[in-house]
Amino acid sequence: MHFTSETSSNGVLERTFLVNDVPGVLWSPEPGSAVTPLLLLGHSGGMHKRAPGLVATALHGVTTHGFTVAAVDAPGHGDRERSRADRQQVEAIQRARVAREPIAPFVAEHTMSVAERAVPEWRATLDALQTLPEIDAAAPVGYGGMMLGVTTGMMLTASDSRIAAAGFGAVFVNDALMDVARQVTVPVEYRVPWDDEDLDRGAALALFDAVASGEKSLHARSGRCHPAPDHERADSLRFFARHLGQGIGQVFS
Amino acid sequence: MHFTSETSSNGVLERTFLVNDVPGVLWSPEPGSAVTPLLLLGHSGGMHKRAPGLVATALHGVTTHGFTVAAVDAPGHGDRERSRADRQQVEAIQRARVAREPIAPFVAEHTMSVAERAVPEWRATLDALQTLPEIDAAAPVGYGGMMLGVTTGMMLTASDSRIAAAGFGAVFVNDALMDVARQVTVPVEYRVPWDDEDLDRGAALALFDAVASGEKSLHARSGRCHPAPDHERADSLRFFARHLGQGIGQVFS
């Protein structure tokens, strides 16, 4: 892992990094804040490590709870080249949208393909982050994501015991994802829009039901996916604070 | 309206009152806190104005948000005589439970009957509360409730424009309640247990769907109705603070 840039603003240190060839961003409290819980954030398909909602969550997480927050570009996203196979899958989604056909099956297929490649990258990134002095390598880690970030995060959570709490947003559900959900056993918070024409409510409820966690909650709100209101962002971060603890030496709101 | 007792503890003034023959409790910040938003809390069937969860919510609302919180005994509950017809309905519920038959139809019928009588009592109580100097009679009022308190609250919210935000918990749903839900248009937060054998998930989702509010959210968590975790209580009170404002001169956590 090496850091490629470093800036600081309003009490938040922002560093870009590379782990192997995967570019990421790390937001953390100013140095001297001692140990800080680690939260990983997964962007949605078509977005990247600096998606506006993701950055807003990261900054709130650092300033309110003293978290260190990491995001990386998924394969074919952000600063990374998109492969020919990925381009073809994205074009299939776009054609379905133009033709006003259901996009869900195309999105779910593409998402699974990207997520399968993203999971080992997240694992390597987490290995690297846990070598940093401000991260307690024995401490529980949180994962939050939307859409592609949900699929990736469920696969990571089901397979990596370091993830101790997961916050998921809307996602296109298919049978493969249902199978992954049945292997998720850590506390889960799942936030879904109630009125999004692209998303199947019944599938969202079935996915929530499939999650094997003893502690899980579903939050549905009227309206579409975007934008999430600020108070939802704050609620989600409180969920992580309950399960990960808070950074030492922070002032909490 | 007249007050029948007054005590004070940990910064919370607690007064009991009568409006006509309906006994109630009012929890408020210590005098001198100027204007304070008003929150009405409706207890569940078989409980009363000092139900433990209700009192915990009331005290948190006063100390954290500067609310004034009121609760009254529903007809046949708490300090009030239960009529012969009510006794017969309660016995029908108990017989069904002992026989391991579904209790929902019996509970829903009894609940509708009690709620129809409770609504005019709440309206008179609200009239009286709005004459108090610490209550701004023009300010929006909140209503929160569980079970019987949901049915009562939905009917009150649908028919009294002073109620500007409503927080509902689990409830037994029937067609009459579905009709009431379609008349509720203020912001609503609806919290349901996901794994309660007495409650029908599908009916809960249908009720949420029927609520006509442009701003509504559903919160389902694994487990049964009781006890609600403290963080849910805090979340619900933040919902009211967003819509009612906060008391003046309070320290907020």
Side-chain angles (χ1 to χ4, degrees):
Chain A
M1 174 181 204
H2 68 275
F3 289 105
T4 47
S5 77
E6 177 175 325
T7 58
S8 190
S9 174
N10 297 317
V12 179
L13 176 66
E14 181 185 304
R15 288 170 285 180
T16 56
F17 63 83
L18 284 172
V19 172
N20 305 323
D21 288 334
V22 177
V25 191
L26 195 64
W27 295 272
S28 53
E30 296 282 6
S33 299
V35 174
T36 164
L38 181 59
L39 175 63
L40 313 178
L41 293 182
H43 64 76
S44 51
M47 294 301 286
H48 51 78
K49 63 186 176 304
R50 288 189 197 274
L54 188 157
V55 173
T57 299
L59 296 179
H60 191 103
V62 175
T63 56
T64 304
H65 298 288
F67 295 157
T68 287
V69 184
V72 296
D73 284 331
H77 286 73
D79 298 332
R80 305 177 68 183
E81 290 277 331
R82 183 168 273 171
S83 72
R84 186 168 164 186
D86 281 347
R87 278 203 304 275
Q88 288 170 339
Q89 286 184 324
V90 170
E91 285 161 11
I93 296 168
Q94 290 165 342
R95 275 196 304 274
R97 199 183 280 282
V98 169
R100 297 180 178 276
E101 287 167 3
I103 62 169
F106 299 100
V107 175
E109 184 192 354
H110 178 54
T111 298
M112 278 315 259
S113 158
V114 175
E116 278 165 7
R117 287 169 276 156
V119 167
E121 296 176 354
W122 263 123
R123 201 169 289 136
T125 301
L126 184 48
D127 290 344
L129 292 170
Q130 288 188 323
T131 65
L132 295 175
E134 68 265 37
I135 302 296
D136 174 1
V141 176
Y143 179 97
M146 282 275 293
M147 304 297 281
L148 167 63
V150 176
T151 306
T152 307
M154 279 202 178
M155 293 168 75
L156 182 66
T157 303
S159 63
D160 192 319
S161 62
R162 292 176 291 185
I163 308 297
F168 300 126
V171 64
F172 288 100
V173 180
N174 64 0
D175 288 347
L177 188 60
M178 290 287 289
D179 286 340
V180 177
R182 293 187 188 98
Q183 300 164 51
V184 171
T185 57
V186 300
V188 161
E189 189 179 78
Y190 181 34
R191 296 187 171 268
V192 293
W194 195 247
D195 309 293
D196 194 304
E197 62 196 11
D198 286 334
L199 294 167
D200 177 342
R201 256 185 219 177
L205 296 172
L207 185 69
F208 175 65
D209 213 28
V211 168
S213 312
E215 182 177 345
K216 59 181 179 180
S217 63
L218 171 82
H219 304 264
R221 81 179 137 75
S222 49
R224 301 198 58 200
C225 253
H226 299 288
D230 283 346
H231 63 83
E232 277 206 4
R233 209 180 302 290
D235 286 350
S236 292
L237 287 161
R238 273 189 288 266
F239 161 79
F240 286 114
R242 281 201 304 278
H243 293 287
L244 308 179
Q246 309 219 52
I248 293 166
Q250 291 290 306
V251 176
F252 308 118
S253 69
Chain B
M1 175 182 207
H2 68 274
F3 288 106
T4 47
S5 75
E6 177 175 326
T7 57
S8 191
S9 174
N10 297 317
V12 179
L13 175 65
E14 180 185 305
R15 288 170 285 178
T16 56
F17 63 83
L18 283 172
V19 172
N20 306 322
D21 289 333
V22 177
V25 190
L26 194 63
W27 295 271
S28 53
E30 296 282 6
S33 299
V35 174
T36 164
L38 181 59
L39 175 62
L40 313 178
L41 294 182
H43 64 76
S44 52
M47 294 301 286
H48 51 78
K49 63 186 177 303
R50 290 189 195 273
L54 188 157
V55 172
T57 300
L59 296 178
H60 191 103
V62 175
T63 56
T64 304
H65 298 288
F67 295 158
T68 287
V69 183
V72 296
D73 284 331
H77 287 74
D79 298 331
R80 304 177 67 183
E81 289 277 331
R82 183 168 273 171
S83 72
R84 188 169 165 187
D86 281 348
R87 277 202 305 274
Q88 288 170 340
Q89 287 184 324
V90 170
E91 285 161 11
I93 296 168
Q94 289 164 343
R95 274 195 304 273
R97 199 182 280 284
V98 168
R100 297 180 177 275
E101 287 167 8
I103 62 169
F106 298 101
V107 175
E109 184 192 354
H110 177 54
T111 298
M112 279 313 261
S113 159
V114 175
E116 278 166 7
R117 287 169 276 156
V119 167
E121 295 176 353
W122 263 123
R123 201 170 289 134
T125 301
L126 183 48
D127 291 344
L129 292 170
Q130 288 188 323
T131 66
L132 296 175
E134 67 265 36
I135 302 297
D136 174 1
V141 176
Y143 179 97
M146 282 276 292
M147 304 295 281
L148 166 63
V150 176
T151 306
T152 307
M154 279 205 178
M155 293 168 75
L156 181 66
T157 303
S159 64
D160 193 318
S161 63
R162 292 176 290 185
I163 309 298
F168 299 127
V171 64
F172 288 100
V173 180
N174 64 359
D175 289 347
L177 187 61
M178 289 288 287
D179 286 339
V180 176
R182 293 186 188 98
Q183 300 165 51
V184 171
T185 57
V186 300
V188 161
E189 189 178 77
Y190 181 34
R191 297 188 170 268
V192 293
W194 195 248
D195 308 294
D196 193 305
E197 62 195 12
D198 286 334
L199 295 166
D200 177 342
R201 258 186 219 179
L205 296 171
L207 185 70
F208 176 65
D209 214 27
V211 168
S213 312
E215 182 178 346
K216 59 181 179 179
S217 64
L218 171 82
H219 304 264
R221 82 181 137 73
S222 50
R224 301 198 58 200
C225 251
H226 299 288
D230 283 346
H231 63 82
E232 278 208 3
R233 209 181 301 290
D235 286 350
S236 291
L237 287 162
R238 273 189 289 267
F239 162 78
F240 286 113
R242 283 200 304 279
H243 294 288
L244 308 180
Q246 310 220 53
I248 293 167
Q250 291 291 307
V251 176
F252 308 120
S253 69

